Amino acid sequence: MGHSHITIHKKAFRPYLSVAQLDEAVTALAARLNADYAGREPLFVVVLTGAFMFASDLLKHITEPCEIVFIRVASYEGTGSSGVVQEIMGLREEVQGRHLIIVEDIVDTGTTMHHLVPKLQANGPASVEIATLFFKPESLRHKIDLRYVALEIPNDFVVGYGLDYDGLGRNLPDVYVAV
Ligand code: IMP
C-alpha cells in the first residue's frame, strides 16, 4: 500500500489497512458464512453504495449456492415521533422463508441497521443476520445483534475500499484513517 498521507477535500488521512489485511479479514468472514449457511441458500442483501467493494470480494469467496440483491436505504426526517423514516429501494426478491444476510460497509452508531433489520423482518424471512466490514463498538447507540464482523475499528473516520468522505475515496483499494 502507499506509505504516504493522502488529502481528500482538504482533510488529511494516513494509511490504515492494506489490501492484504482487508483480504485476510474478508476471507476469514466468508469462511464462517460458508460453514454457517451450508445448504440454506442464503439471500445476500448488499447495502449500496459503501458495501460494493467489500461485497464483491466477500461473495467471490462464498462457495455455497446463494442469491445476491442490491438495495439502497433512503432516510427521511419524519414528522412522527420516530424521527427517521427509512425506505428500502430495490428489494424485489421474495424474502419470505429465506435466510437473509445484510452486507454493510460499517456499523457506526447502528442507526441504519436498527431501522433496516425490523423492516426486513416484517417480510417474513427465516432469519436475518448482518455481515459488516467494519464495526466501531465505541460509537454504537442501539442494541443490535452483530454476528459477522470482519474488523473492529476505533471511533475514527475511515475512507477507501468503498467508503467515502463526502463522495470521494470509494475507489481506493486500501483504507485510510483521518489524522
Ligand atoms: P450508522 O447508521 O451510524 O451505523 O452509520 C452507518 C453509515 O454511516 C455507514 O453505512 C456509512 O455510510 C457511514 N459511516 C459511518 N462511519 C463512517 C466512516 O468512518 N467512514 C465512512 N462512512 C462512515
Side-chain angles (χ1 to χ4, degrees):
M1 107 167 109
H3 292 288
S4 47
H5 289 48
I6 59 166
T7 303
I8 302 174
H9 289 308
K10 295 181 180 168
K11 189 175 178 64
F13 291 84
R14 66 174 168 80
Y16 183 51
L17 292 163
S18 66
V19 168
Q21 287 172 306
L22 291 163
D23 181 61
E24 187 183 333
V26 171
T27 304
L29 186 60
R32 286 183 57 203
L33 291 167
N34 282 326
D36 291 357
Y37 285 88
R40 295 163 81 190
E41 206 166 288
L43 173 61
F44 287 93
V45 179
V46 182
V47 184
L48 293 173
T49 300
F52 83 95
M53 213 177 270
F54 166 52
S56 173
D57 287 345
L58 179 79
L59 292 164
K60 277 184 265 185
H61 293 290
I62 298 298
T63 51
E64 295 294 318
C66 64
E67 285 188 62
I68 303 164
V69 64
F70 296 87
I71 65 162
R72 236 171 224 287
V73 182
S75 314
Y76 308 96
E77 291 301 321
T79 50
S81 55
S82 75
V84 184
V85 181
Q86 295 238 348
E87 193 189 327
I88 302 170
M89 292 175 293
L91 191 62
R92 285 182 290 272
E93 276 67 11
E94 184 58 65
V95 305
Q96 180 104 31
R98 301 294 305 273
H99 294 282
L100 307 188
I101 304 169
I102 301 168
V103 181
E104 174 68 309
D105 56 352
I106 184 166
V107 175
D108 183 27
T109 64
T111 304
T112 307
M113 288 301 111
H114 177 73
H115 288 94
L116 180 61
V117 172
K119 283 231 181 266
L120 291 172
Q121 292 281 18
N123 295 315
S127 65
V128 180
E129 295 292 348
I130 300 163
T132 187
L133 171 65
F134 293 129
F135 172 42
K136 293 180 180 174
E138 293 159 30
S139 306
L140 196 64
R141 290 202 272 119
H142 300 273
K143 198 179 174 301
I144 51 173
D145 192 7
L146 269 188
R147 189 167 299 180
Y148 301 104
V149 176
L151 291 159
E152 285 194 8
I153 61 171
N155 190 13
D156 298 313
F157 194 82
V158 291
V159 72
Y161 197 62
L163 291 92
D164 75 308
Y165 171 49
D166 201 9
L168 295 179
R170 295 193 196 276
N171 56 304
L172 300 166
D174 309 295
V175 170
Y176 295 77
V177 64
V179 290

